[in-house]
Amino acid sequence: MSRSAHPAGPRHADVLPEGHYSAPPSDLNVLDPKVWAQTVGRDGDGVVTVGGIDVKSLAEEYGTPAYILDETDFRARARAWRSAFGGDADVFYAGKAFLSRAVVRWLHEEGLNLDVCSGGELATALSAGMPAERIAFHGNNKSSEEIHRAVSAGVGRIVLDSFQEIVRVAHIAQSLGRRQRVQIRITVGVEAHTHEFIATAHEDQKFGIPLAGGVAAEAVRRALKLDGIELIGIHSHIGSQIFDMSGFEVAAHRVVGLLKEVRDEHGVELPEIDLGGGLGIAYTSDDDPREPHEIAKALTEIVTRECEAAKLRTPRISVEPGRAIVGPTAFTLYEVGTIKPLDGLRTYVSVDGGMSDNIRTALYDAEYSVALVSRTSDAEPMLARVVGKHCESGDIVVKDAFLPSDLAPGDLIAVPATGAYCRSMASNYNHVLRPPVVAVADGESRVIVRRETEDDLLRLDVG
Ligand code: LLP
């Protein structure tokens, strides 16, 4: 991302510190549709609305902070992924990005499958009626109890992540009189251009079985010998928040290479390949994500071409987008508290949440946008840092952004694109209560995950 360090016009313009910010936009009241959910706009009074409801009413009814999720947008994105890949492929929504029972129902209704990676996610999926055969179960350290539960429930596939797990799943399935459909997750050795902690296809990390040195081929050899499992394909997930398709191209090439080796050695053509998730979204106006139909076209072409070259039947493709579906659909609504201008530096704007509802800035140096949403303002832009209420100086929500200089305590501001990995990674640090998730659509709003209460905290603390 290229950003200029010296914007013109804002307060302290002559002494702006180095930072990751562009010049302030010409009009701070404009909401870039790239980073805001589909139905977001401003009403005649300048108040931001979503799904036909204004944020002041939402704040009044549900309090702040709150994640406000645009259900119409969620469903539209889910549908766009589904139809982009068509009937010859499967789209598994990655539940780790954000999962709740309402979300499971929406996915079910829109024809998507679901990827879960823990017993808790599996329980949520099953309790909301997702058919087990449409669930894929992931994880690098599934417990025997989780495997037992997944096999008993009849999940469509378990993605095997280690040699030990190949044997464990086969054994558990056999003891239950089942033959469990499985994929093997491999690491293809691609360095995805993303933060180290969210890149997953290089070899020096905990996920998958390395393709290099024939290790994955040996895993296939062992899996094919076991009665309790049916090997249906190979899985690769190269990382997250990726914009460049070339990593997927290399991954597809290498996965197909393994399918060819398997065919040559065992006379078996594995029928499926899963290319994982990881497609990037716009957190700021500088990000340019790809549309689902472009991604589907690119991935399908790569796999088809590689298979033709290897004289293999094209396997059924599946993908696992999480962030790309839910990320852009929600924003976090905060109330402004303390405002501290630090002369020659920036203005610290404190909100009533922080790293407990969005750890991504602290953890990955993630960039976000922010806007004043309870009114418009024509005041000069000021360079701001949006911080939380936690006892930690790294408690930053938006590192560098411009807000109007007449911002005052009590104003509502919102951080867009917080639908993925914010509520799902939220914590109770400092015993701060996790915000609710409020779904809005067509002039109606409802809580789909309620706000935590002090009673919830005390219930776990058995004294
Ligand atoms: N499939 C597998 C096997 C995965 O491990 C992941 C993400 C996904 C699909 C979905 O990836 P997505 O499309 O959402 O990027 N907490 C980090 C992201 C960790 C992702 C872990 N695995 C973040 O906040 O950026």
Side-chain angles (χ1 to χ4, degrees), residues 54-134:
D54 76 81
V55 292
K56 280 176 151 176
S57 322
L58 290 169
E60 214 159 281
E61 184 162 358
Y62 303 106
T64 55
Y67 303 102
I68 310 294
L69 195 158
D70 181 346
E71 178 182 343
T72 308
D73 193 16
F74 185 100
R75 286 181 181 271
R77 285 174 197 275
R79 262 198 308 278
W81 276 86
R82 184 58 277 184
S83 69
F85 279 87
D88 296 331
D90 296 301
V91 180
F92 286 76
Y93 168 78
K96 65 207 83 182
F98 171 64
L99 197 64
S100 78
R101 289 194 274 196
V103 162
V104 173
R105 282 186 215 108
W106 301 341
L107 294 166
H108 188 187
E109 285 163 15
E110 302 299 343
L112 273 76
N113 295 358
L114 178 61
D115 140 13
V116 300
C117 68
S118 70
E121 288 185 357
L122 178 63
T124 306
L126 293 174
S127 83
M130 178 58 87
E133 65 272 15
R134 281 171 51 190

Side-chain angles (χ1 to χ4, degrees), residues 89-295:
D90 296 301
V91 180
F92 286 76
Y93 168 78
K96 65 207 83 182
F98 171 64
L99 197 64
S100 78
R101 289 194 274 196
V103 162
V104 173
R105 282 186 215 108
W106 301 341
L107 294 166
H108 188 187
E109 285 163 15
E110 302 299 343
L112 273 76
N113 295 358
L114 178 61
D115 140 13
V116 300
C117 68
S118 70
E121 288 185 357
L122 178 63
T124 306
L126 293 174
S127 83
M130 178 58 87
E133 65 272 15
R134 281 171 51 190
I135 299 176
F137 191 37
H138 273 277
N140 68 302
N141 188 23
K142 307 169 191 79
S143 70
S144 294
E145 188 273 329
E146 285 173 322
I147 295 169
H148 196 280
R149 233 185 327 151
V151 176
S152 309
V155 299
R157 66 170 73 149
I158 293 183
V159 183
L160 302 174
D161 203 85
S162 67
F163 278 84
Q164 286 162 352
E165 203 172 77
I166 295 173
V167 179
R168 197 177 299 145
V169 171
H171 177 74
I172 292 173
Q174 212 169 5
S175 73
L176 288 166
R178 302 281 182 102
R179 187 143 194 259
Q180 177 63 51
R181 288 157 65 86
V182 297
Q183 292 190 339
I184 292 178
R185 177 166 174 177
I186 66 168
T187 46
V188 294
V190 173
E191 295 280 349
H193 297 288
T194 189
H195 191 281
E196 184 197 349
F197 292 170
I198 51 177
T200 56
H202 53 298
E203 274 133 16
D204 190 2
Q205 45 90 20
K206 70 172 186 167
F207 290 109
I209 296 178
L211 182 64
V215 188
E218 175 58 21
V220 170
R221 221 167 274 136
R222 295 194 195 176
L224 287 174
K225 283 198 192 119
L226 295 167
D227 290 335
I229 53 180
E230 177 191 353
L231 182 62
I232 57 166
I234 301 296
H235 183 287
S236 154
H237 170 78
I238 59 172
S240 279
Q241 188 56 4
I242 299 166
F243 293 106
D244 179 359
M245 295 303 286
S246 61
F248 288 98
E249 190 152 347
V250 178
H253 172 74
R254 295 187 183 163
V255 170
V256 172
L258 178 61
L259 294 186
K260 183 169 179 292
E261 258 184 69
V262 171
R263 192 262 326 264
D264 294 346
E265 182 178 342
H266 306 280
V268 173
E269 289 201 29
L270 296 177
E272 292 186 12
I273 122 173
D274 190 313
L275 292 171
L279 286 315
I281 62 163
Y283 285 102
T284 74
S285 298
D286 291 338
D287 297 328
D288 284 308
R290 301 265 197 125
E291 292 296 324
H293 65 89
E294 291 176 82
I295 295 161

Side-chain angles (χ1 to χ4, degrees), residues 4 49 86 114 124 146 241 265 280 344 360 369 379 383 412-413 415 433 445:
S4 74
T49 64
L114 178 61
T124 306
E146 285 173 322
Q241 188 56 4
E265 182 178 342
R360 299 193 68 261
S369 324
L383 178 61
L412 297 174
I413 61 174
V415 174
L433 305 167
S445 63

